[in-house]
Amino acid sequence: MAHMLYGIKMHGNINEAMQEFMLKKIDMCEKNRKIRGIVLDVNSGGGSASASEMIYNRIKEFSRHRDVYSIITGAAASGAYMVISPSKKIYSIETAIVGSIGVYSIMPDFSGLMEKLGLKVRQTKMGKHKNANNPFEPPDEEASRGQEEIINGIYDIFIKIVRENRKLSDEQVKLISDSDIFIARRSLELGLIDSVRSYGDSIREIMKESNERREPFFETPRAPFVMRFLDRFI
């Protein structure tokens, strides 16, 4: 019989390390029948689209048969919001920011600098657009259109995920689809979250709804060695 809530802190950039940590913890919760549900403590501006999707899919699957709650303690933007969108309820502190529902890609262009310096790059390629992301040459118009199609495709997937999980109307989708970020109260009005309250009140509300007496214990990703070293000695 399930009788406990398990907390997971999703803080920081969503990358391969975060993906590995999150999937490992969710799998552990899946196998432990004593765990009634998961509580996510979220403070992330997003990150890798693919890592976000991998975590989202696992959260979505878990939420089909056990509860997932999220508490935004700083930010839930971009991929981080995608991840928590299947939550049964999303809570937020007053000063948190939510949204940035969109996709972007950055590719530097050093071609002008190279020309001023009189430098050239020799390259060998097979495939017309194999060097499409070469920062030492001006962007190719056809390749740029291809990149835009990819970004637009990912964006459409993101919007679809949010619309379906949060059950948003066309009007609500239109208001959030420009990748804006919102303060907690505004995101509540837009249907992105379910409640704005203190962290402690959010925990107590989740415990009450889950009929639990014990607060969830929160797992935190182990910081890289360099960060642990600096934290200890500096």
Side-chain angles (χ1 to χ4, degrees):
M1 181 70 177
H3 62 272
M4 64 181 290
L5 293 168
Y6 191 85
I8 305 174
K9 287 192 177 183
M10 191 176 77
H11 289 192
N13 188 46
I14 299 180
N15 50 25
E16 289 186 6
M18 176 67 77
Q19 174 187 328
E20 182 179 0
F21 168 78
M22 292 294 293
L23 296 188
K24 180 180 179 181
K25 295 305 174 185
I26 297 167
D27 286 344
M28 182 275 293
C29 292
E30 184 82 63
K31 294 173 184 176
N32 189 339
R33 300 307 303 174
K34 292 182 179 180
I35 294 176
R36 181 191 300 276
I38 291 173
V39 182
L40 299 174
D41 177 332
V42 185
N43 184 8
S44 172
S48 162
S50 57
S52 299
E53 183 187 2
M54 290 290 287
I55 302 170
Y56 159 76
N57 286 335
R58 198 68 188 85
I59 290 288
K60 180 71 173 178
E61 183 180 346
F62 185 90
S63 70
R64 290 193 175 102
H65 49 88
R66 278 185 261 184
D67 292 336
V68 176
Y69 298 94
S70 292
I71 306 174
I72 305 171
T73 55
S78 194
Y81 186 78
M82 175 197 290
V83 167
I84 69 173
S85 62
S87 302
K88 184 176 182 180
K89 283 190 177 179
I90 300 176
Y91 298 83
S92 175
I93 65 171
E94 289 272 4
T95 54
I97 57 174
V98 185
S100 188
I101 297 171
V103 184
Y104 78 98
S105 175
I106 295 176
M107 180 55 60
D109 179 5
F110 300 126
S111 58
L113 178 61
M114 295 289 285
E115 185 177 349
K116 287 182 179 180
L117 295 176
L119 299 176
K120 294 183 179 181
V121 175
R122 293 181 180 178
Q123 59 181 323
T124 303
K125 66 174 182 177
M126 294 296 293
K128 184 178 180 181
H129 297 303
K130 189 61 180 177
N131 66 335
N133 293 326
N134 183 355
F136 302 112
E137 290 188 352
D140 176 83
E141 186 176 338
E142 186 176 346
S144 295
R145 285 198 299 270
Q147 291 288 328
E148 288 178 6
E149 288 180 8
I150 293 172
I151 296 299
N152 287 336
I154 297 173
Y155 174 73
D156 290 342
I157 292 170
F158 195 170
I159 290 293
K160 184 174 183 287
I161 285 172
V162 174
R163 177 199 289 268
E164 292 180 353
N165 283 298
R166 295 299 301 174
K167 298 178 174 58
L168 301 181
S169 65
D170 290 341
E171 183 179 354
Q172 286 173 308
V173 170
K174 185 177 180 180
L175 290 171
I176 67 168
S177 60
D178 287 334
S179 303
D180 290 330
I181 57 173
F182 308 99
I183 196 71
R185 289 289 175 187
R186 179 56 176 157
S187 64
L188 177 63
E189 294 171 359
L190 294 170
L192 294 175
I193 63 175
D194 300 291
S195 181
V196 179
R197 57 183 67 199
S198 71
Y199 181 82
D201 284 347
S202 297
I203 291 290
R204 285 186 283 273
E205 180 71 19
I206 292 169
M207 291 170 61
K208 181 179 179 181
E209 184 165 326
S210 303
N211 195 28
E212 289 293 335
R213 296 182 179 179
R214 292 179 296 173
E215 291 190 12
F217 169 78
F218 281 90
E219 281 277 359
T220 305
R222 186 174 174 81
F225 171 77
V226 173
M227 297 303 294
R228 285 184 279 120
F229 176 86
L230 294 174
D231 185 58
R232 181 174 180 180
F233 294 103
I234 298 179

